[in-house]
């Protein structure tokens, strides 16, 4: 049954300036905005992102990279 192979959530590593700072669990089909919002709630990520990020690279199901 193909529906059993799908995951409901995924754990994304969150990198800030190229270094892994934390991990967040989001829905497998989460949008970039949802993943970023969840990551910025984390204190470990928030301390490394003092203001507005310059660039965000989101690869669904793989990684969220924030460049300050």
């Amino acid at each position: 049954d193909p529906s059993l192979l799908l995951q409901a959530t995924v754990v994304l590593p969150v990198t800030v300036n190229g270094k892994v700072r934390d991990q967040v669990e989001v829905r497998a089909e989460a949008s970039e905005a949802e993943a970023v919002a969840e990551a910025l709630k984390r204190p470990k990520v928030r301390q490394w992102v003092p203001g507005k990020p310059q660039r965000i690279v989101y690869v669904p199901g793989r990684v969220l990279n924030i460049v300050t």
Side-chain angles (χ1 to χ4, degrees), residues 33-35 60 62:
E34 293 171 339
R62 298 285 182 183

Side-chain angles (χ1 to χ4, degrees), residues 16-47:
V16 179
N17 294 330
K19 295 184 181 177
V20 176
R21 301 297 182 183
D22 204 354
Q23 294 181 345
V24 294
E25 187 171 349
V26 295
R27 293 181 307 117
E29 62 277 348
S31 68
E32 179 178 328
E34 293 171 339
V36 170
E38 189 64 36
L40 291 179
K41 290 180 186 176
R42 306 279 195 165
K44 290 181 181 179
V45 175
R46 196 68 214 150
Q47 74 179 0

Side-chain angles (χ1 to χ4, degrees), residues 15-18 48-57 64-68:
T15 63
V16 179
N17 294 330
W48 294 102
V49 183
K52 184 177 178 185
Q54 289 182 355
R55 184 171 182 196
I56 296 173
V57 178
L64 173 65
N65 188 15
I66 301 171
V67 180
T68 59

